[in-house]
Amino acid sequence: MTNEELMRRAIRLAEQSVAEGGGPFGAVIAREGELIAEASNHVVPHCDPTAHAEVNCIREACRKLGTFNLEGCEIYTSCEPCPMCLGAIYWAHLDKIYYANDRKDAAAIGFDDDFIYRELDLPVERRQKQMELLLPEEAKKAFEMWEQKSDKDEY
């Protein structure tokens, strides 16, 4: 499939999602033009704020391929990924992101991902969500265990 065909598929998934009560977002993951996975937004129907199209699509692709590493794959999204989805895309090691609408388009219809992007640029103490460091010394044990583990699968 061409890039345009894959993007059109993501756009159609977004439209279908709206028709079925979900948010206006769709995503497709492909490798060398071959469709690997596709998904839409299920935040409302599944009562899950993390059920964004990109995250759902990454989960499906990983299940299908039997790996947590999607190197060699590309994602096509109907909208510029929010910070959560962008983080998931980086963790999944997808090679490239294609998107149709951007975060300003999303903000114009009430999805203010741009607000989160701006928050991330602020020092922790200036963000709207309060954060407090608690029991860091106790938490270091898990990190030390990981660091010393010889048979770990690094990601």
Side-chain angles (χ1 to χ4, degrees):
M1 298 178 78
T2 67
N3 289 340
E4 290 79 9
E5 290 170 323
L6 290 161
M7 181 58 78
R8 284 189 186 103
R9 194 163 183 129
I11 292 167
R12 296 305 162 267
L13 285 164
E15 293 169 351
Q16 181 181 350
S17 180
V18 172
E20 295 173 356
F25 306 101
V28 169
I29 292 177
R31 181 171 49 202
E32 296 177 5
E34 179 187 341
L35 180 68
I36 303 295
E38 61 184 13
S40 61
N41 178 285
H42 292 114
V43 170
V44 173
H46 292 176
C47 298
D48 180 354
T50 69
H52 290 201
E54 297 91 338
V55 171
N56 291 337
C57 197
I58 288 167
R59 289 174 178 159
E60 180 60 28
C62 288
R63 274 192 296 272
K64 186 172 182 181
L65 297 176
T67 182
F68 56 81
N69 186 327
L70 298 176
E71 285 181 52
C73 297
E74 300 168 330
I75 190 164
Y76 299 78
T77 72
S78 62
C79 187
E80 181 179 359
C82 74
M84 176 184 71
C85 292
L86 186 60
I89 289 166
Y90 273 89
W91 279 114
H93 301 283
L94 286 152
D95 289 356
K96 189 168 183 177
I97 304 164
Y98 294 93
Y99 63 95
N101 295 310
D102 67 22
R103 67 176 97 157
K104 305 281 189 224
D105 298 322
I109 62 164
F111 294 92
D112 199 2
D113 303 345
D114 199 44
F115 163 75
I116 301 171
Y117 275 104
R118 290 189 312 271
E119 281 282 295
L120 292 173
D121 281 339
L122 295 174
V124 171
E125 63 276 0
R126 290 190 48 219
R127 294 181 186 162
Q128 288 192 20
K129 296 286 181 189
Q130 291 184 0
M131 295 177 66
E132 182 178 336
L133 186 63
L134 185 63
L135 301 176
E137 291 307 313
E138 288 183 35
K140 283 187 175 47
K141 182 177 180 187
F143 279 16
E144 291 166 0
M145 291 170 64
W146 173 259
E147 190 174 42
Q148 294 169 8
K149 189 173 173 59
S150 62
D151 62 341
K152 60 189 166 204
D153 288 323
E154 295 200 29
Y155 54 95

